[in-house]
Amino acid sequence: MTLPVPTEPGRDAAAGRASSTAPPTTDDASSPSPTRPERRRRGRAAAAARWLAGRVVGGVVVLWAVATMVFFAIRLVPGDPAEAILGGPGSQASAEALALVREQYGLDDPLLLQYLAQLGRLATGDLGTSYSLRTDVGALLLDQLPGTVVLAACALAVAWLIALGTAWWATLGGRVAAAVSSGLEVVAAAVPHFWLGSVLVLVLSTQLGLLPPVSTGTPIGLVLPVVTLAVPVAGFLGQVTRDSLLDAASSPFALSARARGESTSGLFGRHLLRHAALPGLALSGWAFGSLLSGAVVVESVFARPGLGRTLLGAVTLRDIPLVTGVALVSALSYVVVVALGDLAERLVDPRVRAS
């Protein structure tokens, strides 16, 4: 008879735990851990996905806020929307016709129900039918949007050219040039659009005959509206860019580049511009929104078709669907441009990407 070999209880328990927690060797061989470059790529992809999701959610919130403010603000304007649908106060519509229109469009419902019904239509992409023009608002905005976007984009490009030119001159010209450029930027930023447009028409069109006083649908007819929009925005961008450029010019990396024999143009293009343009890029979204709002005045001054003139006429006629559609399209354009400016800032500055 063979006696069992006595064992220590603590040793058996420890051995059991070690055998139960030890990972099998075959799994390690079949699923290797990701390398460091692969982990970095996954981290960048996750960060990009979070950034995109945040932009989408923020854009939806902005559109909801704009739709809400427009809905309640347009109802504070004196007048009856039913009269606007039937042609305005001059139509002399009967009480029966007004009651029928209110029932058809839900204008006699409580305000909260009207608000929820409008949000439901907007959520499905239905912008409704214009009261005054009797046409689909979405189709109308698609027809008017390109002209305003081209005007605002060209004005933003010209504003950047003016801002960079004055900032470069202030950097190279010393204290006198910096003081003069600072004064010009303040004056430009304070100039109203309607005053500047009227002066440009009076001087360049009426007296000199160089440019047409109204928009003709040709590139030459785009010059005066673009300059009128670009000058005030260039004043704001120039102030920010000039200060950043002067700070970058006195930084150690600029002094080191000069010591290596870097030319002035090379120093500006390779080193200073990337640092000086970052605050301006962050403001480009605001600048584009300002250009869209300024297009209301400029398109009226130069008789140029676009969202600005459409919005002005819609507010005058209490055309609620058209006012809402123009406001939403303008807000969406602003959200997209702000996102593009943020993306450009991330591409220019590696520190933003790292954060």
Side-chain angles (χ1 to χ4, degrees):
M1 179 177 180
T2 305
L3 297 176
V5 179
T7 57
E8 299 179 8
R11 182 178 301 176
D12 289 346
R17 287 195 300 268
S19 60
S20 61
T21 58
T25 56
T26 55
D27 292 344
D28 292 340
S30 59
S31 57
S33 60
T35 60
R36 182 173 298 178
E38 185 177 356
R39 289 197 298 269
R40 289 178 179 175
R41 286 194 298 268
R42 292 180 180 178
R44 287 195 295 265
R50 289 193 299 269
W51 177 83
L52 182 59
R55 287 298 177 179
V56 171
V57 173
V60 172
V61 172
V62 168
L63 294 179
W64 167 77
V66 169
T68 301
M69 288 187 294
V70 170
F71 176 85
F72 290 103
I74 198 65
R75 280 157 177 79
L76 296 177
V77 178
D80 189 356
E83 286 187 350
I85 296 173
L86 293 176
S91 63
Q92 297 181 352
S94 63
E96 292 78 8
L98 291 175
L100 182 61
V101 167
R102 293 191 188 100
E103 182 180 359
Q104 180 182 357
Y105 285 87
L107 298 176
D108 54 354
D109 293 336
L111 194 61
L112 180 59
L113 291 182
Q114 296 183 41
Y115 170 68
L116 295 177
Q118 176 169 308
L119 288 184
R121 290 192 299 268
L122 294 177
T124 61
D126 182 13
L127 297 178
T129 302
S130 171
Y131 295 164
S132 58
L133 301 176
R134 301 294 191 274
T135 184
D136 182 68
V137 173
L140 180 62
L141 295 181
L142 287 178
D143 183 58
Q144 300 293 326
L145 180 62
T148 301
V149 170
V150 168
L151 176 63
C154 292
L156 184 59
V158 171
W160 263 111
L161 291 177
I162 297 174
L164 292 177
T166 56
W168 193 1
W169 178 53
T171 305
L172 300 180
R175 294 182 178 179
V176 176
V180 173
S181 65
S182 177
L184 292 176
E185 289 162 357
V186 172
V187 172
V191 171
H193 288 122
F194 68 90
W195 182 86
L196 180 59
S198 302
V199 170
L200 291 177
V201 169
L202 178 63
V203 175
L204 298 179
S205 298
T206 305
Q207 295 184 357
L208 300 179
L210 298 178
L211 296 170
V214 296
S215 180
T216 58
T218 60
I220 194 67
L222 194 62
V223 174
L224 287 183
V226 165
V227 174
T228 303
L229 273 179
V231 169
V233 174
F236 287 104
L237 293 178
Q239 291 176 4
V240 176
T241 306
R242 174 178 50 83
D243 293 341
S244 300
L245 197 60
L246 291 175
D247 292 340
S250 59
S251 59
F253 73 87
L255 300 177
S256 176
R258 287 195 185 99
R260 294 195 303 267
E262 185 72 75
S263 63
T264 302
S265 59
L267 178 66
F268 181 82
R270 295 189 184 94
H271 304 283
L272 300 183
L273 185 58
R274 293 183 62 184
H275 293 265
L278 290 176
L281 288 175
L283 286 176
S284 293
W286 163 86
F288 192 82
S290 176
L291 293 172
L292 289 178
S293 62
V296 176
V297 176
V298 172
E299 289 176 352
S300 300
V301 170
F302 294 98
R304 178 180 174 82
L307 290 180
R309 292 185 67 191
T310 303
L311 178 61
L312 184 62
V315 171
T316 304
L317 299 174
R318 286 182 58 88
D319 195 335
I320 297 175
L322 189 53
V323 171
T324 305
V326 173
L328 288 176
V329 169
S330 301
L332 180 61
S333 302
Y334 174 77
V335 169
V336 171
V337 172
V338 168
L340 292 177
D342 190 9
L343 181 60
E345 187 178 2
R346 297 167 71 91
L347 294 176
V348 170
D349 192 356
R351 294 171 298 181
V352 178
R353 293 197 302 269
S355 62

